[in-house]
Amino acid sequence: MRVTTSLNSAYAVDDPRTGAARMVERARAAHAAGLEGLYVGDHHAVAVPYYQNAPILGRLAADWPDRRFGALWLLPLWHPLVVAEQAGTLAALGSGTFVFQCALGGGDDQFDPMGVALSERVRRFESALPAIRALLAGEVVDDPDGPWGMRDARVNPVPAGGLEIWVGGAGSKALARAARLGDTWYAGPELTDAVAAEKLQEYLAHGPNPPCLPLRRDVYVGADEADVARIRGPLDQNGYRGFDLDAVVTGTVEQVAERFLAIGALGFDEIVVRQLVPDQADAVASIQRLAEVRRLVAAG
């Protein structure tokens, strides 16, 4: 099983340079811990500093030269030529496989500022992703009747180290779309293990041949039982992002490794870890402990 990381991109800081520095520190800690992939997300019109995917990943790539890396794009909000150009350039900054993650997105809080109607998001997504795949394969794209009216579109550079397209979403239509348009389905952090396993089987029933089966988990690896209780207690009392708390992972090194192995037994072969704690020292320490989690998972 592969253990990778999706870095938090939002930081409630007074000086925006502090948040960027925290992302760099977390990426360096993840590389030192031997994590096998580095990803960042996509969000718009945010009230707190949110470090946008292409520029921040370009910076992080300097500390991640030799392993898979990539970013998420909420495709309905982007022109596909711009996305393909960014992905092609980013892919040239490292030697590993470039992982292109994408999703429909949702919410008026993001779509309204971009001037995009929610009712158009499926059409825009289903037009954009095949175009992006073709562009990143070095093809010329003409889609004059599509949402962007593209003519004679092309990009260069294109990924030379391999490309994987992950499609997120959890509804039945989204799972079918992932099988039809993507290389694999990206299971989200809000799904409990049991629900994720059910969704995985529904996705696989469409007959895809995915290169990997990733599941994101929001995680804290504690130093000991007392440290885990310090983090878990407030979650049990106040909740976490509206998730069913069975979906998050908290525990000692041994407990987290056991949970990852159980997830592997469900059929997933990549755990994409995001740190659930905002405190930088706690997050970095949790990342560092993932080195031992990886060792125990590999030992099986």
Side-chain angles (χ1 to χ4, degrees):
M1 174 180 288
R2 193 159 51 208
V3 180
T4 59
T5 188
S6 173
L7 293 187
N8 305 66
S9 294
Y11 294 83
V13 292
D14 294 328
D15 186 337
R17 292 169 294 190
T18 301
R22 289 179 181 176
M23 293 189 74
V24 171
E25 183 181 16
R26 293 187 188 199
R28 289 173 175 168
H31 194 273
L35 302 193
E36 298 154 281
L38 174 74
Y39 315 124
V40 295
D42 188 25
H43 207 73
H44 301 279
V46 184
V48 301
Y50 187 98
Y51 300 89
Q52 293 298 312
N53 52 11
I56 196 65
L57 186 60
R59 169 61 186 86
L60 298 176
D63 295 295
W64 202 272
D66 54 348
R67 303 171 199 171
R68 60 178 34 230
F69 67 120
L72 172 74
W73 277 270
L74 302 176
L75 286 193
L77 301 177
W78 291 85
H79 193 294
L81 180 60
V82 173
V83 172
E85 288 175 335
Q86 291 184 350
T89 296
L90 286 166
L93 299 178
S95 61
T97 295
F98 191 79
V99 179
F100 184 95
Q101 304 166 349
C102 55
L104 280 179
D108 291 335
D109 58 330
Q110 288 195 88
F111 276 70
D112 284 353
M114 298 291 245
V116 177
L118 277 170
S119 61
E120 283 289 301
R121 63 182 184 153
V122 173
R123 175 173 177 259
R124 289 167 73 94
F125 184 97
E126 296 212 356
S127 176
L129 187 51
I132 291 166
R133 184 189 286 279
L135 290 165
L136 292 177
E139 299 174 17
V140 176
V141 172
D142 282 294
D143 186 18
D145 297 323
W148 295 274
M150 289 188 293
R151 298 178 184 272
D152 197 30
R154 67 191 73 203
V155 303
N156 214 338
V158 298
L163 174 71
E164 289 178 4
I165 295 178
W166 298 7
V167 178
S172 292
K173 290 181 179 179
L175 296 171
R177 187 180 300 116
R180 178 166 48 89
L181 298 179
D183 294 323
T184 193
W185 171 55
Y186 187 15
E190 75 285 356
L191 304 174
T192 64
D193 294 356
V195 171
E198 293 174 1
K199 301 282 186 183
L200 176 60
Q201 294 310 308
E202 183 179 352
Y203 163 70
L204 293 173
H206 291 285
N209 184 28
C212 59
L213 291 168
L215 170 66
R216 207 193 97 191
R217 279 287 168 258
D218 288 11
V219 175
Y220 180 72
V221 185
D224 51 34
E225 294 280 4
D227 189 36
V228 174
R230 175 177 65 89
I231 299 300
R232 184 72 192 203
L235 299 182
D236 290 335
Q237 182 175 1
N238 303 317
Y240 176 75
R241 299 183 59 195
F243 289 8
D244 183 323
L245 290 181
D246 286 344
V248 304
V249 179
T250 58
T252 63
V253 165
E254 294 78 12
Q255 290 165 342
V256 172
E258 182 178 359
R259 177 75 175 275
F260 284 7
L261 287 168
I263 289 170
L266 298 175
F268 294 99
D269 58 13
E270 178 169 341
I271 307 292
V272 183
V273 173
R274 181 170 292 182
Q275 296 303 313
L276 62 78
V277 291
D279 180 80
Q280 182 71 355
D282 282 340
V284 170
S286 175
I287 293 169
Q288 292 169 339
R289 294 182 195 112
L290 284 168
E292 181 63 12
V293 171
R294 285 186 66 249
R295 187 189 70 78
L296 292 175
V297 168

